[in-house]
Short mmCIF file of all heavy atoms in Angstrom, two decimals:
data_model
loop_
_atom_site.label_atom_id
_atom_site.label_comp_id
_atom_site.label_asym_id
_atom_site.label_seq_id
_atom_site.Cartn_x
_atom_site.Cartn_y
_atom_site.Cartn_z
N LEU A 1 -17.33 -12.20 -0.97
CA LEU A 1 -16.56 -11.65 0.20
C LEU A 1 -15.23 -12.12 0.33
O LEU A 1 -14.22 -11.36 0.58
CB LEU A 1 -17.40 -12.11 1.41
CG LEU A 1 -16.71 -11.61 2.78
CD1 LEU A 1 -16.59 -10.10 2.84
CD2 LEU A 1 -17.59 -12.08 4.02
N LEU A 2 -14.89 -13.42 -0.02
CA LEU A 2 -13.57 -13.92 -0.09
C LEU A 2 -12.73 -13.22 -1.09
O LEU A 2 -11.61 -12.87 -0.86
CB LEU A 2 -13.50 -15.41 -0.34
CG LEU A 2 -14.10 -16.27 0.82
CD1 LEU A 2 -14.10 -17.73 0.43
CD2 LEU A 2 -13.28 -16.13 2.10
N LEU A 3 -13.34 -12.91 -2.26
CA LEU A 3 -12.59 -12.17 -3.28
C LEU A 3 -12.27 -10.74 -2.81
O LEU A 3 -11.18 -10.30 -3.05
CB LEU A 3 -13.50 -12.12 -4.57
CG LEU A 3 -12.94 -11.28 -5.70
CD1 LEU A 3 -11.55 -11.80 -6.21
CD2 LEU A 3 -13.90 -11.23 -6.85
N ILE A 4 -13.20 -10.19 -2.16
CA ILE A 4 -12.99 -8.78 -1.61
C ILE A 4 -11.83 -8.79 -0.63
O ILE A 4 -11.03 -7.95 -0.58
CB ILE A 4 -14.22 -8.20 -0.91
CG1 ILE A 4 -15.31 -7.87 -2.05
CG2 ILE A 4 -13.94 -6.91 -0.18
CD1 ILE A 4 -16.72 -7.58 -1.49
N THR A 5 -11.76 -9.82 0.17
CA THR A 5 -10.64 -9.94 1.15
C THR A 5 -9.35 -9.99 0.54
O THR A 5 -8.35 -9.44 0.98
CB THR A 5 -10.89 -11.25 2.07
OG1 THR A 5 -12.15 -11.11 2.71
CG2 THR A 5 -9.81 -11.42 3.03
N VAL A 6 -9.18 -10.76 -0.67
CA VAL A 6 -7.98 -10.89 -1.31
C VAL A 6 -7.62 -9.49 -1.93
O VAL A 6 -6.57 -9.09 -1.87
CB VAL A 6 -8.13 -11.92 -2.49
CG1 VAL A 6 -6.89 -11.91 -3.40
CG2 VAL A 6 -8.26 -13.29 -1.89
N MET A 7 -8.69 -8.82 -2.51
CA MET A 7 -8.44 -7.52 -3.05
C MET A 7 -7.85 -6.55 -1.99
O MET A 7 -7.03 -5.67 -2.31
CB MET A 7 -9.73 -7.00 -3.70
CG MET A 7 -10.14 -7.68 -4.97
SD MET A 7 -11.77 -7.17 -5.48
CE MET A 7 -11.48 -5.49 -5.79
N ALA A 8 -8.38 -6.73 -0.81
CA ALA A 8 -8.00 -5.75 0.20
C ALA A 8 -6.48 -5.84 0.48
O ALA A 8 -5.87 -4.84 1.07
CB ALA A 8 -8.76 -6.09 1.49
N ASN A 9 -5.81 -6.96 0.21
CA ASN A 9 -4.36 -7.03 0.39
C ASN A 9 -3.58 -6.48 -0.76
O ASN A 9 -2.40 -6.46 -0.77
CB ASN A 9 -4.06 -8.53 0.58
CG ASN A 9 -4.48 -9.01 1.85
OD1 ASN A 9 -4.57 -8.33 2.91
ND2 ASN A 9 -4.81 -10.30 1.96
N SER A 10 -4.24 -6.00 -1.84
CA SER A 10 -3.51 -5.67 -3.06
C SER A 10 -3.16 -4.23 -3.18
O SER A 10 -2.38 -3.88 -3.99
CB SER A 10 -4.45 -6.04 -4.24
OG SER A 10 -4.64 -7.44 -4.21
N GLY A 11 -3.81 -3.31 -2.31
CA GLY A 11 -3.38 -2.01 -2.44
C GLY A 11 -3.93 -1.16 -1.32
O GLY A 11 -4.97 -1.54 -0.65
N ALA A 12 -3.35 0.02 -1.07
CA ALA A 12 -3.62 0.79 0.04
C ALA A 12 -5.09 1.28 0.01
O ALA A 12 -5.88 1.30 0.94
CB ALA A 12 -2.66 1.91 0.35
N GLY A 13 -5.44 1.75 -1.16
CA GLY A 13 -6.76 2.38 -1.37
C GLY A 13 -7.92 1.29 -1.15
O GLY A 13 -8.88 1.57 -0.47
N ILE A 14 -7.73 0.17 -1.78
CA ILE A 14 -8.74 -0.92 -1.63
C ILE A 14 -8.77 -1.36 -0.23
O ILE A 14 -9.90 -1.53 0.36
CB ILE A 14 -8.47 -2.06 -2.59
CG1 ILE A 14 -8.58 -1.53 -4.07
CG2 ILE A 14 -9.37 -3.20 -2.43
CD1 ILE A 14 -8.18 -2.55 -5.05
N ALA A 15 -7.65 -1.51 0.40
CA ALA A 15 -7.61 -2.04 1.77
C ALA A 15 -8.30 -1.09 2.74
O ALA A 15 -9.05 -1.55 3.65
CB ALA A 15 -6.08 -2.21 2.18
N HIS A 16 -8.14 0.21 2.45
CA HIS A 16 -8.78 1.15 3.41
C HIS A 16 -10.26 1.03 3.21
O HIS A 16 -10.99 1.07 4.23
CB HIS A 16 -8.34 2.55 3.04
CG HIS A 16 -9.02 3.67 3.94
ND1 HIS A 16 -8.75 3.82 5.19
CD2 HIS A 16 -9.99 4.55 3.60
CE1 HIS A 16 -9.46 4.88 5.72
NE2 HIS A 16 -10.21 5.21 4.76
N ALA A 17 -10.73 0.92 2.04
CA ALA A 17 -12.23 0.88 1.75
C ALA A 17 -12.85 -0.37 2.29
O ALA A 17 -14.03 -0.39 2.68
CB ALA A 17 -12.41 0.90 0.24
N MET A 18 -12.08 -1.43 2.36
CA MET A 18 -12.62 -2.78 2.80
C MET A 18 -12.22 -3.06 4.26
O MET A 18 -12.56 -4.14 4.74
CB MET A 18 -12.01 -3.73 1.89
CG MET A 18 -12.40 -3.72 0.51
SD MET A 18 -14.21 -3.59 0.24
CE MET A 18 -14.21 -3.33 -1.49
N SER A 19 -11.78 -2.05 5.00
CA SER A 19 -11.25 -2.36 6.39
C SER A 19 -12.23 -2.80 7.35
O SER A 19 -11.86 -3.48 8.31
CB SER A 19 -10.57 -1.05 6.93
OG SER A 19 -11.54 -0.04 7.03
N LYS A 20 -13.56 -2.63 7.14
CA LYS A 20 -14.52 -2.99 8.07
C LYS A 20 -15.12 -4.38 7.81
O LYS A 20 -16.04 -4.86 8.51
CB LYS A 20 -15.69 -1.96 8.10
CG LYS A 20 -15.17 -0.57 8.57
CD LYS A 20 -16.37 0.35 8.74
CE LYS A 20 -15.97 1.62 9.31
NZ LYS A 20 -17.08 2.71 9.41
N ILE A 21 -14.69 -5.01 6.67
CA ILE A 21 -15.22 -6.37 6.39
C ILE A 21 -14.52 -7.39 7.20
O ILE A 21 -13.35 -7.45 7.29
CB ILE A 21 -14.96 -6.67 4.85
CG1 ILE A 21 -15.74 -5.69 4.00
CG2 ILE A 21 -15.34 -8.08 4.62
CD1 ILE A 21 -15.60 -5.87 2.57
N PRO A 22 -15.29 -8.27 7.92
CA PRO A 22 -14.67 -9.24 8.79
C PRO A 22 -13.95 -10.39 7.98
O PRO A 22 -14.47 -10.68 6.91
CB PRO A 22 -15.88 -9.90 9.51
CG PRO A 22 -17.02 -9.58 8.60
CD PRO A 22 -16.71 -8.34 7.94
N VAL A 23 -12.80 -10.72 8.39
CA VAL A 23 -12.08 -11.74 7.69
C VAL A 23 -11.55 -12.82 8.63
O VAL A 23 -11.57 -12.65 9.87
CB VAL A 23 -10.82 -11.19 6.91
CG1 VAL A 23 -11.34 -10.23 5.84
CG2 VAL A 23 -9.95 -10.38 7.96
N ILE A 24 -11.13 -13.98 8.12
CA ILE A 24 -10.62 -15.05 8.94
C ILE A 24 -9.10 -15.17 8.74
O ILE A 24 -8.64 -15.20 7.53
CB ILE A 24 -11.34 -16.38 8.58
CG1 ILE A 24 -12.90 -16.24 8.90
CG2 ILE A 24 -10.77 -17.55 9.35
CD1 ILE A 24 -13.63 -17.41 8.46
N GLY A 25 -8.31 -15.20 9.73
CA GLY A 25 -6.88 -15.47 9.67
C GLY A 25 -6.17 -14.04 9.60
O GLY A 25 -6.87 -12.99 9.55
N THR A 26 -4.85 -14.14 9.59
CA THR A 26 -4.09 -12.84 9.56
C THR A 26 -4.27 -12.12 8.28
O THR A 26 -4.17 -12.73 7.18
CB THR A 26 -2.58 -13.13 9.90
OG1 THR A 26 -2.50 -13.76 11.19
CG2 THR A 26 -1.74 -11.98 9.78
N ILE A 27 -4.32 -10.84 8.28
CA ILE A 27 -4.36 -10.01 7.14
C ILE A 27 -3.09 -9.19 7.17
O ILE A 27 -2.75 -8.49 8.13
CB ILE A 27 -5.58 -9.10 7.09
CG1 ILE A 27 -6.80 -9.86 6.58
CG2 ILE A 27 -5.37 -7.90 6.22
CD1 ILE A 27 -6.83 -10.22 5.14
N ALA A 28 -2.33 -9.14 6.10
CA ALA A 28 -1.13 -8.27 5.81
C ALA A 28 -1.49 -7.42 4.57
O ALA A 28 -1.89 -7.88 3.60
CB ALA A 28 0.13 -9.14 5.70
N GLU A 29 -1.14 -6.11 4.75
CA GLU A 29 -1.44 -5.24 3.75
C GLU A 29 -0.54 -4.01 3.73
O GLU A 29 -0.02 -3.59 4.78
CB GLU A 29 -2.93 -4.77 3.79
CG GLU A 29 -3.28 -4.09 5.22
CD GLU A 29 -4.76 -3.91 5.42
OE1 GLU A 29 -5.60 -4.37 4.60
OE2 GLU A 29 -5.13 -3.27 6.40
N ILE A 30 -0.34 -3.41 2.52
CA ILE A 30 0.34 -2.13 2.42
C ILE A 30 -0.56 -1.02 2.76
O ILE A 30 -1.67 -0.86 2.12
CB ILE A 30 0.93 -1.93 0.96
CG1 ILE A 30 1.64 -3.16 0.60
CG2 ILE A 30 1.64 -0.63 0.97
CD1 ILE A 30 3.11 -3.19 0.81
N VAL A 31 -0.44 -0.18 3.79
CA VAL A 31 -1.33 0.79 4.19
C VAL A 31 -0.85 2.24 3.67
O VAL A 31 -1.76 3.03 3.47
CB VAL A 31 -1.46 0.80 5.72
CG1 VAL A 31 -2.25 -0.46 6.16
CG2 VAL A 31 -0.16 0.99 6.38
N THR A 32 0.37 2.44 3.46
CA THR A 32 0.82 3.71 2.96
C THR A 32 2.31 3.56 2.50
O THR A 32 2.84 2.58 2.69
CB THR A 32 0.67 4.90 3.98
OG1 THR A 32 1.04 6.12 3.40
CG2 THR A 32 1.72 4.59 5.16
N PHE A 33 2.82 4.60 1.82
CA PHE A 33 4.22 4.62 1.48
C PHE A 33 4.75 5.98 1.40
O PHE A 33 3.95 6.98 1.15
CB PHE A 33 4.48 3.81 0.25
CG PHE A 33 4.16 4.60 -1.04
CD1 PHE A 33 5.19 5.23 -1.70
CD2 PHE A 33 2.94 4.60 -1.57
CE1 PHE A 33 4.84 5.97 -2.85
CE2 PHE A 33 2.65 5.30 -2.74
CZ PHE A 33 3.61 5.99 -3.37
N ARG A 34 5.92 6.30 1.61
CA ARG A 34 6.60 7.50 1.48
C ARG A 34 7.59 7.42 0.27
O ARG A 34 8.04 6.35 -0.08
CB ARG A 34 7.23 8.00 2.71
CG ARG A 34 8.43 7.35 3.26
CD ARG A 34 8.85 7.87 4.63
NE ARG A 34 10.07 7.17 5.13
CZ ARG A 34 11.26 7.48 4.93
NH1 ARG A 34 11.52 8.55 4.18
NH2 ARG A 34 12.28 6.79 5.48
N HIS A 35 7.88 8.60 -0.24
CA HIS A 35 8.69 8.64 -1.50
C HIS A 35 9.88 9.56 -1.28
O HIS A 35 9.73 10.75 -1.11
CB HIS A 35 7.81 9.11 -2.68
CG HIS A 35 8.39 8.79 -4.01
ND1 HIS A 35 7.60 9.22 -5.13
CD2 HIS A 35 9.53 8.33 -4.41
CE1 HIS A 35 8.36 8.81 -6.19
NE2 HIS A 35 9.53 8.29 -5.73
N TYR A 36 11.10 8.99 -1.35
CA TYR A 36 12.26 9.86 -1.22
C TYR A 36 12.80 10.10 -2.70
O TYR A 36 13.14 9.15 -3.37
CB TYR A 36 13.37 9.12 -0.42
CG TYR A 36 14.70 9.81 -0.36
CD1 TYR A 36 15.00 10.71 0.67
CD2 TYR A 36 15.66 9.53 -1.38
CE1 TYR A 36 16.24 11.38 0.71
CE2 TYR A 36 16.92 10.26 -1.29
CZ TYR A 36 17.12 11.14 -0.30
OH TYR A 36 18.39 11.75 -0.19
N GLU A 37 12.85 11.34 -3.03
CA GLU A 37 13.44 11.63 -4.33
C GLU A 37 14.46 12.79 -4.18
O GLU A 37 14.28 13.72 -3.33
CB GLU A 37 12.24 12.31 -5.28
CG GLU A 37 11.29 11.21 -5.70
CD GLU A 37 10.27 11.79 -6.62
OE1 GLU A 37 9.37 12.51 -6.11
OE2 GLU A 37 10.34 11.65 -7.86
N ASN A 38 15.52 12.72 -4.97
CA ASN A 38 16.56 13.77 -4.86
C ASN A 38 17.35 13.70 -6.21
O ASN A 38 17.49 12.69 -6.86
CB ASN A 38 17.49 13.51 -3.67
CG ASN A 38 18.32 14.65 -3.43
OD1 ASN A 38 17.89 15.77 -3.05
ND2 ASN A 38 19.73 14.58 -3.64
N SER A 39 17.80 14.86 -6.59
CA SER A 39 18.67 15.09 -7.74
C SER A 39 19.63 16.19 -7.58
O SER A 39 19.30 17.30 -7.34
CB SER A 39 17.71 15.36 -8.95
OG SER A 39 18.54 15.39 -10.11
N GLU A 40 20.92 15.81 -7.56
CA GLU A 40 21.99 16.76 -7.36
C GLU A 40 23.17 16.34 -8.32
O GLU A 40 23.63 15.19 -8.24
CB GLU A 40 22.53 16.87 -5.96
CG GLU A 40 21.47 17.44 -5.01
CD GLU A 40 22.06 17.46 -3.59
OE1 GLU A 40 23.24 17.94 -3.48
OE2 GLU A 40 21.39 17.07 -2.58
N ASN A 41 23.63 17.32 -9.11
CA ASN A 41 24.82 17.11 -9.98
C ASN A 41 24.79 15.74 -10.80
O ASN A 41 25.77 15.01 -10.64
CB ASN A 41 26.09 17.12 -9.06
CG ASN A 41 26.27 18.48 -8.43
OD1 ASN A 41 25.87 19.54 -8.90
ND2 ASN A 41 26.91 18.44 -7.22
N ASN A 42 23.66 15.55 -11.32
CA ASN A 42 23.49 14.28 -12.13
C ASN A 42 23.48 13.07 -11.31
O ASN A 42 23.81 11.94 -11.81
CB ASN A 42 24.61 14.20 -13.26
CG ASN A 42 24.09 13.43 -14.47
OD1 ASN A 42 22.85 13.33 -14.71
ND2 ASN A 42 25.04 12.76 -15.10
N MET A 43 23.20 13.19 -10.09
CA MET A 43 23.10 12.07 -9.20
C MET A 43 21.64 12.00 -8.58
O MET A 43 21.24 12.94 -7.89
CB MET A 43 24.11 12.26 -8.06
CG MET A 43 25.56 12.25 -8.51
SD MET A 43 26.71 12.59 -7.15
CE MET A 43 26.78 10.95 -6.47
N ASP A 44 20.91 10.99 -9.05
CA ASP A 44 19.43 10.89 -8.82
C ASP A 44 19.12 9.66 -7.89
O ASP A 44 19.67 8.68 -7.94
CB ASP A 44 18.74 10.74 -10.10
CG ASP A 44 19.12 11.88 -11.10
OD1 ASP A 44 18.99 13.10 -10.66
OD2 ASP A 44 19.41 11.59 -12.27
N ALA A 45 18.12 9.92 -7.11
CA ALA A 45 17.54 8.89 -6.29
C ALA A 45 16.00 8.95 -6.33
O ALA A 45 15.40 9.97 -6.30
CB ALA A 45 17.95 9.12 -4.77
N ASP A 46 15.48 7.74 -6.46
CA ASP A 46 13.98 7.56 -6.56
C ASP A 46 13.65 6.27 -5.70
O ASP A 46 13.82 5.19 -6.25
CB ASP A 46 13.49 7.39 -7.91
CG ASP A 46 12.05 7.32 -8.08
OD1 ASP A 46 11.30 7.38 -7.09
OD2 ASP A 46 11.49 7.25 -9.21
#
């Protein structure tokens, strides 16, 4: 269970799947992300 708790902090998919497991202490996790992409006149952003 402690290993699962550590895994839950490692990625959004795992964190979501493990969200109902009780843990001790503060949990910080990446829950989602957005992606800004643009390309104009050989000027690119990712």
Side-chain angles (χ1 to χ4, degrees):
L1 177 58
L2 291 177
L3 175 60
I4 290 171
T5 299
V6 173
M7 290 172 61
N9 288 329
S10 301
I14 296 175
H16 178 74
M18 300 302 175
S19 61
K20 294 184 179 180
I21 295 177
V23 294
I24 297 174
T26 297
I27 281 288
E29 56 193 8
I30 308 266
V31 292
T32 186
F33 79 94
R34 64 186 180 91
H35 196 176
Y36 175 91
E37 291 182 284
N38 192 67
S39 181
E40 294 183 44
N41 297 331
N42 203 31
M43 302 175 76
D44 304 310
D46 183 359

